[in-house]
Amino acid sequence: MELAQARKARIAPRHGGKVLADALVAQGIDHVFEVPGESFLDTLDGLYDAGGKIKLVTCRFEAGAVNMADAYGKLTGRPAAAMVTRGPGACHGAIGVHVAYQDSTPLLLFVGQIPHQDTGRDAFQEVDYRQMFAPLAKWVTQIDHAKRIPEVVAHAVDVATSGRPGPVVIALSEEMQKDLVQVPDLRRASVSAAFPDPDAMLRMRAMLAKAKKPVAVVGGSCWSAEGRAALRRFLTQNNIPVTVGFRRQAHYDGTLDNFAGDLGVGSDPGLIAKVREADLILAVGSRLGDAVTQGYSLLDMAGSVPIIQVLPDGGEIGRVFRTALGIVSDLNTFALAAAGLEPVKPGWAKWTQELRSLREAQRAVPNYQGTLNLGTVMRELEGLLGADAIVTTDAGNFAGWATRFVNFSEHQRYIGPTNGAMGYSVPAAVGAKIAFPDRMVVAMVGDGGFMMTGQEIATAFHHGVAPIVLVFNNQMYGTIRMHQERAYPWRVSGTALTNPDFAKYIEAFGGHGEVVTETASFSPAFERAVASGKPALIELRTNPEQITTRATITDLRAGKTPPKPAPKPKRAATAGHRVSPAKKRV
Ligand SMILES: Cc1ncc(C[n+]2csc(CCOP(=O)(O)OP(=O)(O)O)c2C)c(N)n1
Ligand SMILES: [Mg+2]
């Protein structure tokens, strides 16, 4: 008998779904977040036996499932899997793929596919995923033969985690999941991380030694605890002022004397002005993208100010801004190598101090109008967060309160969608809490974002974990109202919201609800939420007039002429069911 045949004879036949579940285990995938569909019953059946090794998390919405997998990837640097059904499930989940792509998060998305023999008939829920996900994912493929499962899953993990990490989408033909095949499982690849070129590291050091006003911009994904500690050593030894990229807030310890704040949406204009003065930019992990560079305006594209850019993918280096030195490296190995360099004799102590004092000035809480001062609330929250707390954020103006007032420390994490996807925060917090049940997990979200995916709190109850959700309720899509007031002052159109009683919402699940309307009530409410041990929600009733941390609606309208009052709307001619609007608080 041939060797291969003899080997095969010893392998028990398994259906494709079981081969897939075993392939996930073999590749170290230990979390699957899913909304079921009949298109992958066999895979769910395969996962039935993998219970001890894979945590199967049943979600309420596919966007939530993919966002949970994304949060897992952001926090661990390893991919989790999400599973969704054909057409509709894939469409709901697509937002999570875009988040993972723009955030460089390793992630696997499995999509049930129609039976292969019906391809091209516009069959029930049929979609060509290679086309649909082409611009959203790092790689899209489809498995049509069960014996290819181990190979494709192994390669998918390698693609998701190598170079610039990202999401991989794998469609699963329905009938191949049922096929009985005899295939071996494949080992997880042991690939060493890309190490920076020692000559390039010396050039970096030489450039640093010549600089007078360097600024570091820290971003990227898949930082390990060791890498973060090494980065801190390198940047503190050289006393380089450090900024963090958009939604990468806790990538650097904000309590350190060289932390200068964030570069992103709504950042400190003083800091942005200072970065324009820099004579060397050291971008570690940051792609120097749209938000970080203030719409590609912060730096000179021709590179008149030298830029050193460190990224795991050479194709991304200098993509928009010409670099003086590009270093292709895994971020953690770069940090370790950088920490091992002899520090330069920094002649910029005053410069670093100036940038740090900007950060401190930002954190001084103004006397905001209204009973609930969110600046003070954030400063208090900083003291209440666990030393290794995970904070998740959504898209919205509310996010500015935490970035401006909270200094995260080295073992804390702050994760959010750099693509500005609303609806990320609550599922991310649920996924984070499932993956790290012993860490405090706090979701920050606006009233708009909460009503997009807040129902994933049901998943937290189902899986017995207790995140804490802070809902910043200003009764509007505040960010868009801000843009609207700038472009079309006084003409409020399509941005006002009517909300439920958020505390009662979580109480309906059996959770702990609080409503905070005054500054002094926040800390006790937060402490009660923690002590309850239940999933908790604290509604922060904010002053809608305070549209950002820096401006009121009145400020945005200043100097502009109010329009003539709009004509009174005529009563609708058709009789219909009318619902009286909920009573407004403001
Ligand atoms: C999925 C999605 N839809 C729409 C938008 C556009 N958008 C950006 S912020 C925002 C308003 C967010 O409202 P809310 O969550 O209440 O936060 P606020 O800005 O009021 O603090 C909207 C609609 C988006 N970024 N993502
Ligand atoms: Mg809002």
Side-chain angles (χ1 to χ4, degrees):
M1 206 193 270
E2 296 274 326
L3 190 61
Q5 275 177 322
R7 275 208 194 116
K8 198 172 161 188
R10 284 201 297 272
I11 297 170
R14 294 173 291 176
H15 66 56
K18 171 95 176 105
V19 176
L20 178 59
D22 291 346
L24 292 175
V25 172
Q27 296 307 316
I29 307 293
D30 52 16
H31 282 71
V32 173
F33 300 92
E34 59 90 31
V35 175
E38 69 274 32
S39 57
F40 62 98
L41 284 178
D42 314 278
T43 296
L44 285 175
D45 181 67
L47 288 165
Y48 183 84
D49 293 324
K53 297 196 173 118
I54 292 183
K55 187 154 183 68
L56 184 62
V57 180
T58 310
C59 308
R60 307 309 283 259
F61 187 51
E62 288 84 354
V66 185
N67 287 162
M68 287 185 206
D70 178 276
Y72 179 98
K74 279 193 174 76
L75 293 168
T76 63
R78 293 282 309 160
M83 282 184 192
V84 302
T85 196
R86 323 176 265 228
C91 289
H92 278 169
I95 188 171
V97 180
H98 190 239
V99 171
Y101 190 76
Q102 293 223 316
D103 289 8
S104 311
T105 311
L107 184 149
L108 304 184
L109 172 63
F110 291 91
V111 184
Q113 176 59 298
I114 60 153
H116 196 47
Q117 69 269 14
D118 294 331
T119 302
R121 289 176 166 166
D122 193 18
F124 179 62
Q125 301 182 335
E126 181 178 1
V127 171
D128 178 342
Y129 301 107
R130 286 194 176 93
Q131 282 198 60
M132 174 182 168
F133 286 107
L136 297 181
K138 190 172 173 191
W139 182 45
V140 192
T141 190
Q142 178 164 318
I143 308 180
D144 292 322
H145 303 284
K147 61 178 190 300
R148 297 279 308 276
I149 292 171
E151 168 203 331
V152 175
V153 172
H155 185 54
V157 171
D158 294 348
V159 171
T161 52
S162 61
R164 177 182 170 189
V168 171
V169 177
I170 305 153
L172 304 169
S173 281
E174 189 177 317
E175 74 281 25
M176 78 81 197
Q177 297 173 60
K178 302 180 199 311
D179 287 346
L180 281 180
V181 288
Q182 286 172 277
V183 278
D185 294 325
L186 297 180
R187 269 199 309 273
R188 190 165 150 182
S190 165
V191 182
S192 69
F195 202 81
D197 172 8
D199 284 345
M201 295 302 283
L202 292 178
R203 278 177 64 198
M204 174 181 83
R205 190 181 175 282
M207 288 169 74
L208 200 54
K210 271 203 224 141
K212 293 196 170 57
K213 294 181 171 183
V215 170
V217 186
V218 177
S221 66
C222 299
W223 282 98
S224 65
E226 207 189 0
R228 288 154 67 88
L231 183 74
R232 185 235 313 134
R233 286 200 301 280
F234 165 61
L235 293 170
T236 50
Q237 277 162 6
N238 290 285
N239 195 24
I240 301 171
V242 181
T243 62
V244 286
F246 182 49
R247 302 244 152 94
R248 305 296 199 187
Q249 194 76 10
H251 274 40
Y252 193 74
D253 186 336
T255 65
L256 296 171
D257 284 343
N258 61 339
F259 179 68
D262 65 293
L263 292 176
V265 175
S267 297
D268 172 16
L271 175 63
I272 291 164
K274 273 282 171 208
V275 174
R276 288 188 203 280
E277 276 180 43
D279 66 354
L280 178 70
I281 301 289
L282 174 60
V284 185
S286 174
R287 293 191 293 115
L288 298 176
D290 196 344
V292 171
T293 62
Q294 313 295 303
Y296 301 108
S297 71
L298 182 61
L299 305 172
D300 162 30
M301 289 194 188
S304 58
V305 171
I307 298 171
I308 302 172
Q309 193 172 24
V310 186
L311 284 173
D313 180 351
E316 288 286 345
I317 291 177
R319 181 166 175 169
V320 179
F321 302 96
R322 291 287 86 196
T323 51
L325 174 64
I327 302 180
V328 182
S329 175
D330 174 87
L331 301 178
N332 298 300
T333 54
F334 164 81
L336 287 166
L341 291 173
E342 192 188 327
V344 297
K345 296 217 162 43
W348 50 73
K350 194 164 152 271
W351 166 247
T352 303
Q353 226 165 41
E354 273 170 32
L355 269 81
R356 176 63 184 179
S357 54
L358 284 177
R359 173 69 185 160
E360 274 155 14
Q362 282 304 300
R363 271 165 50 85
V365 180
N367 190 13
Y368 292 114
Q369 280 182 9
T371 56
L372 184 62
N373 184 328
L374 287 177
T376 309
V377 165
M378 290 295 111
R379 295 293 300 260
E380 287 184 9
L381 176 68
E382 182 183 287
L384 294 164
L385 288 175
D388 64 352
I390 298 165
V391 175
T392 68
T393 191
D394 222 74
N397 270 7
F398 75 88
W401 295 97
T403 44
R404 175 163 172 187
F405 293 103
V406 178
N407 275 343
F408 292 96
S409 53
E410 189 171 311
H411 302 292
Q412 295 173 337
R413 301 295 302 273
Y414 172 88
I415 59 172
T418 66
N419 75 342
M422 290 170 71
Y424 177 84
S425 178
V426 174
V430 174
K433 191 71 182 169
I434 287 171
F436 297 98
D438 299 332
R439 293 171 72 168
M440 178 189 280
V441 177
V442 178
M444 297 195 189
V445 62
D447 49 329
F450 182 82
M451 292 300 282
M452 286 193 177
T453 53
Q455 82 284 3
E456 286 300 349
I457 204 71
T459 306
F461 283 95
H462 189 62
H463 291 277
V465 298
I468 299 167
V469 182
L470 304 184
V471 179
F472 293 67
N473 183 7
N474 58 1
Q475 300 176 94
M476 60 169 119
Y477 288 127
T479 313
I480 311 307
R481 171 76 182 276
M482 170 189 73
H483 292 301
Q484 189 163 63
E485 290 287 352
R486 282 185 184 140
Y488 300 100
W490 285 277
R491 294 171 62 83
V492 179
S493 175
T495 49
L497 294 172
T498 298
N499 288 315
D501 181 327
F502 289 109
K504 286 216 176 90
Y505 179 91
I506 196 145
E507 281 164 12
F509 290 92
H512 180 89
E514 298 268 356
V515 179
V516 171
T517 55
E518 282 170 17
T519 312
S521 315
F522 173 72
S523 290
F526 190 86
E527 278 163 353
R528 282 191 297 271
V530 175
S532 77
K534 298 176 187 171
L537 187 153
I538 302 174
E539 178 190 339
L540 301 169
R541 288 207 179 145
T542 72
N543 173 10
E545 166 69 7
Q546 191 67 52
I547 193 88
T548 73
T549 70
R550 293 176 224 288
T552 60
I553 290 178
T554 310
D555 294 334
L556 301 181
R557 290 173 174 173
K560 295 166 186 163
T561 330
K564 288 197 189 103
K568 283 229 167 94
K570 289 198 181 112
R571 277 200 166 238
T574 48
H577 179 71
R578 288 180 66 88
V579 179
S580 59
K583 231 178 168 184
K584 289 279 183 307
R585 291 196 318 270
V586 290

